């Protein structure tokens, strides 16, 4: 393949883990040895053909990659006549979402580093399930911190983790949700750095996590490039994905980042509206600050206090976002939009009806924005939407909304 000469000269992130002003390592001194150990182990593994071979083998035979790129003719007709819409089917990956691409990579790396214990934190439980699954596959002990409130809301995922042999540890401090679970996990890691690896679930946290998770998830975009060339004979005009922490979006965007003329669009959750306090539109209305080990856009009040996030989609409900998305927003390399709960709910029903695909509520945000964008696109445009996950987990939530409406 032809590489243009300027393709190699920008290093992202730089050696200190910065994406422009964003990223970095804002961690307690006690964690620095663990993080530098991880960084050098990852750099070595990345260049090792044995590691790549093992990873590719698992992704193919266990996760089910490559996932299909499917031309959604029904959705296409419903949103606009003249364009072609392709869905990258991460919903068909093992455990039902893209998160497994990253957890398999990190657990394989942990094993290679000689770690015997995996820890993670989870909010809605999806990252916990993907981590527990990878740990079960590779025979490592796994403990997942989860706020007690989240455990009540997400019983099914708690069972899935326990069935695959993980221990779910209820977090009783603070709001008993994700941010308290993150604090507990960091505390655990500080105490047990010798034998333990902390699996972070998105392109967030201190360096090298944003870079490493991006690279593990980039398999999505690499496959998409190959597949769209074969199916449509050329690269797409638009690539879209929902953004929570930003890993599925980064995974599909990154292999297209150097192509001029391809619009990359990240879709955040506007919740009950970005004018309210109930949303997760970090890039649309947040300000830069430091959270969970890195500088990025954040939802915060005038005093820098982190605000609670909200979305109908549990996986988008996070007040931060990856540092690389933050620099892409500033540079304009990626466009960011936001759609609200109602639009996501409508898109969830739409894709279920038009193509018989029930999307995750997170992914439904990207579908919803496609609906808004489609009429303004030139005829014959090719759009790829990353379908980050399947909606089985959201069926009860959506059924409840439908029932509420019927009662009115
Ligand atoms: C967790 C999750 C997301 C959001 O996470 P990103 O890191 O932004 O990708 C999106 N879709 C699904 C299905 C998820 O489980």
């Amino acid at each position: 393949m032809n590489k243009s000469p300027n393709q190699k000269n920008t290093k992202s992130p730089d050696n200190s883990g910065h994406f422009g002003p964003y990223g970095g390592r804002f961690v307690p001194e006690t964690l620095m040895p663990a993080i530098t150990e991880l960084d050098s182990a990852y750099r070595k593994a990345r260049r090792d053909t044995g590691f790549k071979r093992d990873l590719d083998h698992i992704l193919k035979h266990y996760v089910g990659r490559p996932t299909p790129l499917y031309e959604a003719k029904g959705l296409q007709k419903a949103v606009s006549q003249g364009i072609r819409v392709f869905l990258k089917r991460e919903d068909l990956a093992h455990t039902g979402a893209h998160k497994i691409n990253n957890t398999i990579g990190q657990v394989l790396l942990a094993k290679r580093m000689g770690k015997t214990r995996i820890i993670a934190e989870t909010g809605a439980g999806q990252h916990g399930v993907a981590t527990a699954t990878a740990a079960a596959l590779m025979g490592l002990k796994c403990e997942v911190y989860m706020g007690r409130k989240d455990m009540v809301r997400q019983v099914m995922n708690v069972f899935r983790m326990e069935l695959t042999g993980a221990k779910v540890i209820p977090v009783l401090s603070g709001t008993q949700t994700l941010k308290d679970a993150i604090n507990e996990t960091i505390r655990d890691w500080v105490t047990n750095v010798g034998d333990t690896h902390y699996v972070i679930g998105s392109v967030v946290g201190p360096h090298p996590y944003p870079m490493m998770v991006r690279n593990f998830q980039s398999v999505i975009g690499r496959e998409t490039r190959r597949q769209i060339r074969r199916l449509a004979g050329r690269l797409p005009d638009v690539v879209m994905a929902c953004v929570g922490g930003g890993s599925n979006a980064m995974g599909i965007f990154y292999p297209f980042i150097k192509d001029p003329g391809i619009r990359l669009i990240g879709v955040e959750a506007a919740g009950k509206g970005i004018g309210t306090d109930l949303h997760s539109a970090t890039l649309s209305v947040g300000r830069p600050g430091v959270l969970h080990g890195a500088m990025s856009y954040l939802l915060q009040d005038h005093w820098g206090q982190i605000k609670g996030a909200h979305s109908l989609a549990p996986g988008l409900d996070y007040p931060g976002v990856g540092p690389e998305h933050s620099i892409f927003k500033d540079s304009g390399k990626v466009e960011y939009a936001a759609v609200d709960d109602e639009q996501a709910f409508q898109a969830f029903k739409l894709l279920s009806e038009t193509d018989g695909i029930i999307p995750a509520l997170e992914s439904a945000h990207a579908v919803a924005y496609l609906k808004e964008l489609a009429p303004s696109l030139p005829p014959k445009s090719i759009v790829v939407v990353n379908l980050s996950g399947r909606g089985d987990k959201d069926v009860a939530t959506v059924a409840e909304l439908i029932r509420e409406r019927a009662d009115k």
Side-chain angles (χ1 to χ4, degrees), residues 329-344:
K329 179 197 159 67
D330 288 358
S331 69
K333 197 151 241 172
V334 177
E335 301 166 46
Y336 295 92
V339 304
D340 65 20
D341 288 351
E342 176 65 25
Q343 289 171 289

Side-chain angles (χ1 to χ4, degrees), residues 177-231:
T177 60
L178 179 63
K179 79 177 168 28
D180 313 291
I182 293 176
N183 293 337
E184 284 303 315
T185 319
I186 292 173
R187 211 162 297 154
D188 181 315
W189 204 24
V190 170
T191 319
N192 302 297
V193 282
D195 67 352
T196 300
H197 173 68
Y198 176 11
V199 178
I200 290 184
S202 191
V203 286
V204 299
H207 179 63
Y209 284 101
M211 167 185 81
M212 179 171 72
V213 177
R214 172 196 78 197
N215 293 347
F216 285 138
Q217 290 292 1
S218 290
V219 66
I220 304 173
R222 287 196 305 271
E223 288 174 6
T224 303
R225 271 186 92 90
R226 275 201 307 275
Q227 292 168 318
I228 196 74
R229 279 201 163 115
R230 212 175 305 136
L231 291 169

